[in-house]
Amino acid sequence: MNRYILKTITAGATLLFSVFSAAAQDTIRVADSISNKTTIWQRLKQDAFYMGGGVIHVYTGPLRWKKDDLATIGGFAAGSAILFASDRETSSFMRRQKEDMPETLNDIGWSMGSPGYNYAITGSVYLFGVITDNEKFRKTGVLLFSSAVTSGVMQTAIKNIAGRSRPDKERGPFHFSPFSSDAGDHSFPSGHAMLSFTTAYAIGKQFKNPWVKAGIYTVGLITPASRVWNGAHWLSDVGVGMGLSVLVVESIDKYLKAKETYTPDDKKKVSWNLTFGNESIGIIGSF
C-alpha cells in the first residue's frame, strides 16, 4: 500500500508540476551580463527572508485590521457557527457514504494532507524557481512554504487549546477537553485539510483560467472531504481549516506583492513548454 501511495503521489506531483509549467507560460530572467545575475545562494537567502516575513505578517495582522477586515472576520465567524450547528447531521450523512468511496480517494486524501508528500510538491516548485531563477516559481514556492508553516503552527496551537473530540470517538460535536494530550481530542481544526487546501489555493492563484483554478481547487477538496467521511473530523473542522487557509494565503500574497520583489524581467524571455516522449515527460525552454 505504501508503494502504491508513493507512486500515486509521485505521479500526481509530476503531473501538477508539469501542468503548472506548461499552463503558466512564464519566463525566467536572463541577465544582459554575468554581473547582473544572482547566485543560487543569494536567492535562497532572499527567499528565506520573505518566507519569515510572510509568517510574521500573518500573525501581526490583527494590529492592522480595519473596518473591512472586521466585517470579513465577522462573516467568517457566522459561517463557522452555521457549520458547527450542522455537524451532527452532516457527519452522520458523510460517514454513511464511506463504503461507496473508492479507496484511491482515501489514499490521495491522506497523502495530500501529509507534510512529507505535501512538502515534496512545494519543494519541487520552489527548487525549480531557484535553480532557473524563475521569478514566478520562486514567488509561488515562497508563498507555499510560508503559508504551510503559518497554517501548521496555527492549527497545532488551536487543536491543543480547543481539545475537541473527533467524530469517531462518539462523544458528540460539542465535547471539548482543552489542552488534552489525547489525539482523539485534536479534531478542531483539521490539519490535513488546512495543508492540502493551502497548497491548492496558493497554486490556483497563479492561474487566470477559471477552469484550471476549479480543477486545482477540486483536487484540494479531496482531503477535507475524505477526513469527514472517514470520521476523523467534523464538517466544521475542515470548513474552518479551509477558511483559515484562504485567509493565510491571501495575507501572505498581499505581503509579497507589496514588496514588489518577484517581478519577471521582460528584456529577454525563455518560454517553458511541456513535452512528451517515449515513456518520458519533460520541459523545454525556448529562447
Side-chain angles (χ1 to χ4, degrees):
M1 180 61 71
N2 289 335
R3 181 180 297 178
Y4 171 78
I5 294 176
L6 180 59
K7 286 183 177 179
T8 300
I9 297 304
T10 300
T14 301
L15 179 59
L16 180 62
F17 182 66
S18 300
V19 169
F20 188 81
S21 302
Q25 289 296 305
D26 199 11
T27 61
I28 64 169
R29 183 191 306 170
V30 180
D32 293 328
S33 63
I34 295 178
S35 61
N36 289 331
K37 292 183 179 180
T38 58
T39 65
I40 290 179
W41 176 241
Q42 289 173 325
R43 294 168 212 153
L44 288 171
K45 289 194 296 183
Q46 182 188 56
D47 294 342
F49 175 81
Y50 285 110
M51 287 178 191
V55 175
I56 294 174
H57 182 78
V58 172
Y59 287 120
T60 58
L63 300 176
R64 299 183 299 274
W65 282 354
K66 297 179 182 179
K67 219 176 255 189
D68 291 344
D69 298 309
L70 294 176
T72 299
I73 298 301
F76 180 77
S80 300
I82 293 174
L83 292 179
F84 267 92
S86 65
D87 269 334
R88 195 183 300 275
E89 291 75 17
T90 53
S91 177
S92 178
F93 171 78
M94 290 290 286
R95 291 171 71 181
R96 288 198 299 270
Q97 316 308 312
K98 180 179 178 180
E99 294 183 359
D100 298 326
M101 297 299 174
E103 191 62 28
T104 301
L105 287 182
N106 286 320
D107 294 337
I108 293 175
W110 172 264
S111 300
M112 289 296 292
S114 298
Y117 292 112
N118 194 283
Y119 280 116
I121 296 175
T122 299
S124 298
V125 173
Y126 176 65
L127 287 177
F128 179 81
V130 170
I131 294 172
T132 63
D133 197 12
N134 185 312
E135 297 281 3
K136 183 82 169 183
F137 277 75
R138 281 179 62 200
K139 178 189 174 184
T140 303
V142 170
L143 178 62
L144 285 167
F145 268 120
S146 52
S147 297
V149 170
T150 303
S151 298
V153 173
M154 187 181 296
Q155 63 90 15
T156 299
I158 299 175
K159 274 178 184 289
N160 284 280
I161 294 173
R164 191 185 195 190
S165 182
R166 297 182 185 275
D168 57 11
K169 295 301 179 180
E170 306 298 344
R171 299 168 182 164
F174 299 105
H175 185 280
F176 295 87
S177 300
F179 301 102
S180 171
S181 59
D182 185 356
D185 292 326
H186 291 174
S187 185
F188 177 80
S190 169
H192 275 71
M194 284 188 72
L195 186 56
S196 67
F197 202 72
T198 292
T199 301
Y201 189 74
I203 292 177
K205 280 183 67 67
Q206 311 310 312
F207 296 90
K208 294 182 180 179
N209 189 309
W211 295 105
V212 174
K213 284 180 178 287
I216 295 173
Y217 295 159
T218 298
V219 173
L221 287 172
I222 294 176
T223 297
S226 68
R227 301 301 283 164
V228 178
W229 74 55
N230 280 306
H233 289 284
W234 306 95
L235 181 62
S236 58
D237 295 335
V238 300
V240 171
M242 290 166 58
L244 290 175
S245 296
V246 172
L247 293 177
V248 167
V249 173
E250 288 290 347
S251 178
I252 295 177
D253 188 53
K254 185 181 295 185
Y255 163 79
L256 294 176
K257 286 180 178 177
K259 295 300 180 181
E260 297 183 347
T261 300
Y262 302 98
T263 305
D265 186 347
D266 293 327
K267 292 182 179 179
K268 190 173 182 181
K269 299 182 178 180
V270 179
S271 297
W272 293 92
N273 299 294
L274 181 66
T275 61
F276 295 93
N278 184 23
E279 298 183 353
S280 65
I281 184 172
I283 302 173
I284 294 180
S286 302
F287 291 84

